[in-house]
Amino acid sequence: MSLAKKLINDPNDVETEFIDGLMETYPTLQFLDGYPSVKVVFRADVYPGPPYDKVAVISGGGSGHEPAHAGFVGEGMLTAAICGDVFASPTVDAILAGIRTVTGPLGCLLIIKNYTGDRLNFGLAAEQAKSEGYKVESVIVEDDCAIPPPLEMAGRRGLAGTVLVHKVAGAAADAGLSLADVAAEARYASENVGTMGVALKACTLPGRIFTDRFGPTKMEVGLGIHGEPGAHVTDIQPVEAVVSQLLNQILSKETNYLPISRGERVVLMVNGLGGTPLMELMIAAGKAVPQLMVEHGLAVDRVYTGSFMTSLDMEGLSISIMRADRSILQRLDAETKAPYWPVGVSGNRLPAKIPVPIPRPRSAKIVEPQSQPLKLTEQGQLLELVIVAAATALIHLKDTLNEWDSKVGDGDCGSTMYKGAKAVLEDMKNYPLNDAAETVGEIGSTIGKSMGGTSGIIYSILCKAACAQLKTSSHSVITSKQWAKALASAIDAVSKYGGAKVGYRTLLDALIPALSSLEERLSSGDDPATAFLTSSQAALDGAESTKKMRAKAGRTLYVPREIQSSVPDPGAYATASWYRAAALAVNDKYKNK
């Protein structure tokens, strides 16, 4: 086993070096000169200078939960954050240093997550500060809904809901309230928030060896933020089911941890645990809102989605629900300069957002969609046969192309081709198959809408250029030489707009040899079906030859040469494969006549 790969220096310096980077990034923040035992981040406008004239709001805990807690220091939120070592409570001396730095005549509120180390160290610091004449109040946040009631003596942990408490307390303090009133609002917020988490992979501590205790098919539900095991292990489920499980636990009437009834209003926070892509967090948020509304009868007034309180690089998320009365919403919407609070979320959330129709082109002429003729001509039947064969070949190649593309690209070539092929088969019922030019153009439109990315654009250009060339024919039946001209026009267009040429390790390395072979065989007098079949072998040979090429375009350009030579270019092979399948279909049809 080996150490987990991390972009760090000495594992013992990660906390202080994180703070150094934070200072370079945000001019509104400052820190105390007490490394490594004292790691305090505070508002630069509060000290030094006249004593702070509002209630100071202070929180903190172990590092490894970034952006919590230092990322929430700023006007309208925390006045200071005390940072411990990774997953370790800050020392009493560090907490005292923070209190002395930012606390003025109105006193300070300590927001403490319910962990033994935090409670003891913050508690002792509070008592010491009081003996020095400071006014100090404390609020303990225990929003964890995973601990069953018989075990509650162990304490419900403080989780991501703490960040919502930070915001409420910070806004109340910024509004000029007294220490007692700020503490009361923070306490009310903490009593009305519940959180549940789920993890797919445990976190890795800096300088430690990663141990995967979950395995490839399991997830842990009801875990904390320090890498400790969850309440139970279960099979990985679709995100919709995971969200449902978390919401049911938070809103359970059996535990009644969060006494919210149907018809009430709530705030939702979907929090990433450090290694979860924003895409997955947004998917979870999109599933949570309708479940809260339909299954639990709750109105959702605000949705906060992102990484707020993490567990280093843990893969997973937590969901927090908070009661949303008018006072809570006022505090959440209040302006703040804390770097990591999502300032874009404020004001009433619309009950439902109806998608806006796509604007029509500015052309006054409205083109009606084409439809497949009731009776197909011989050319129409042949086109239908070719389209089905080509699309089916791509569908069967999905996994192979993805595997190759994972080595030399972004791993989605097969999935992209699969989407395009499936869409073409679906739209084919609307293609005017007796009109070859229009059909090729419609295929381009389908691909442009369904495939996306560079591949979608390239194939759209191919089809549109071929369509334009085919339309120059004065006859309804397209000859084999006219098809060859259309292929030549398509290749020219892709080369012109994409910049690729033969030898660049792209789909042109399959199409250009195919075109050369097709033109040569047709000029030699071969029948069209045989010429097409021969040229398809040239396409396959061209695709295979890309193994020997150094990429000069696309993402593969940045992949080491030895990796490139292990597989053919996935795009070239996909092109050769559908071309080959089409040729075989044509050849079989005419052989069986």
Side-chain angles (χ1 to χ4, degrees), residues 195-263:
T195 300
M196 274 287 290
V198 61
L200 307 181
K201 181 181 78 66
C203 60
T204 311
L205 273 65
R208 303 282 184 87
I209 294 172
F210 170 68
T211 303
D212 183 11
R213 68 171 187 263
F214 293 8
T217 62
K218 301 294 182 180
M219 63 183 188
E220 285 188 354
V221 180
L223 70 165
I225 52 173
H226 300 104
E228 67 270 41
H232 64 275
V233 178
T234 184
D235 291 334
I236 292 177
Q237 303 167 29
V239 67
E240 193 161 17
V242 173
V243 167
S244 177
Q245 185 175 351
L246 299 184
L247 292 179
N248 288 338
Q249 180 73 10
I250 295 170
L251 299 168
S252 168
K253 297 303 179 186
E254 183 179 347
T255 60
N256 205 34
Y257 280 158
L258 190 61
I260 292 179
S261 304
R262 297 182 74 87

Side-chain angles (χ1 to χ4, degrees), residues 10 74 85 196 204 230 232 300 343 471 525 544:
D10 188 330
D85 293 341
M196 274 287 290
T204 311
H232 64 275
V300 182
V343 295
K471 283 185 175 181
E544 187 67 21

Side-chain angles (χ1 to χ4, degrees), residues 264-593:
E264 293 195 65
R265 315 189 76 83
V266 296
V267 166
L268 165 68
M269 172 180 278
V270 178
N271 170 62
L273 295 176
T276 310
L278 182 60
M279 175 185 285
E280 295 177 25
L281 299 179
M282 287 296 179
I283 291 172
K287 300 303 178 184
V289 172
Q291 287 188 26
L292 285 168
M293 295 169 63
V294 176
E295 297 176 20
H296 298 279
L298 301 172
V300 182
D301 279 338
R302 303 287 185 278
V303 179
Y304 304 100
T305 303
S307 293
F308 304 99
M309 185 173 286
T310 65
S311 182
L312 293 170
D313 59 349
M314 182 179 286
E315 293 180 10
L317 59 83
S318 67
I319 289 180
S320 300
I321 304 295
M322 176 182 269
R323 188 189 305 276
D325 58 27
R326 183 176 298 178
S327 64
I328 290 284
L329 294 179
Q330 180 183 3
R331 299 308 185 202
L332 292 177
D333 286 348
E335 184 178 356
T336 179
K337 294 182 180 178
Y340 287 92
W341 179 257
V343 295
V345 181
S346 62
N348 292 328
R349 192 186 68 85
L350 296 176
K353 291 183 179 177
I354 307 301
V356 177
I358 297 174
R360 289 184 177 276
R362 291 187 175 181
S363 170
K365 180 182 178 182
I366 299 176
V367 179
E368 293 298 327
Q370 303 279 358
S371 60
Q372 191 176 110
L374 293 176
K375 185 175 181 180
L376 294 180
T377 62
E378 183 178 353
Q379 178 176 259
Q381 293 174 12
L382 191 60
L383 264 178
E384 183 180 46
L385 182 71
V386 164
I387 291 169
V388 170
T392 302
L394 290 177
I395 289 171
H396 290 157
L397 275 174
K398 176 184 174 183
D399 292 340
T400 298
L401 293 175
N402 278 343
E403 181 184 350
W404 289 347
D405 197 38
S406 67
K407 297 179 179 179
V408 296
D410 51 7
D412 67 349
C413 178
S415 297
T416 301
M417 295 296 171
Y418 177 88
K419 288 180 183 177
K422 294 287 283 188
V424 166
L425 291 178
E426 174 63 26
D427 286 359
M428 191 170 65
K429 60 181 178 291
N430 296 319
Y431 292 164
L433 293 171
N434 290 344
D435 187 327
E438 289 293 344
T439 296
V440 172
E442 288 297 315
I443 292 173
S445 297
T446 295
I447 289 172
K449 289 183 294 184
S450 61
M451 279 177 62
T454 304
S455 296
I457 296 172
I458 288 174
Y459 272 100
S460 293
I461 291 173
L462 271 171
C463 292
K464 296 298 182 180
C467 170
Q469 177 61 40
L470 291 173
K471 283 185 175 181
T472 62
S473 172
S474 57
H475 301 288
S476 58
V477 177
I478 305 298
T479 67
S480 55
K481 290 188 176 181
Q482 287 169 336
W483 279 113
K485 285 184 178 180
L487 179 58
S489 294
I491 290 171
D492 288 344
V494 169
S495 182
K496 173 184 176 182
Y497 293 111
K501 298 177 182 178
V502 69
Y504 275 37
R505 195 180 162 102
T506 70
L507 58 79
L508 294 184
D509 290 304
L511 288 180
I512 291 175
L515 175 62
S516 297
S517 174
L518 182 62
E519 290 175 332
E520 180 183 345
R521 300 320 307 165
L522 289 174
S523 298
S524 298
D526 283 2
D527 67 87
T530 301
F532 191 9
L533 187 62
T534 303
S535 70
S536 71
Q537 184 58 52
L540 285 175
D541 293 342
E544 187 67 21
S545 72
T546 59
K547 286 184 178 180
K548 304 173 183 177
M549 298 176 186
R550 173 68 175 170
K552 298 179 183 178
R555 290 186 176 91
T556 311
L557 176 66
Y558 308 102
V559 176
R561 182 66 180 271
E562 60 271 17
I563 297 177
Q564 292 185 34
S565 62
S566 66
V567 296
D569 178 70
Y573 193 85
T575 300
S577 297
W578 65 252
Y579 189 97
R580 176 70 169 178
L584 287 170
V586 171
N587 193 63
D588 288 346
K589 178 179 174 61
Y590 284 103
K591 271 188 176 179
N592 295 326
K593 269 196 168 184

Side-chain angles (χ1 to χ4, degrees), residues 25 96 194 372:
T25 305
L96 269 172
Q372 191 176 110

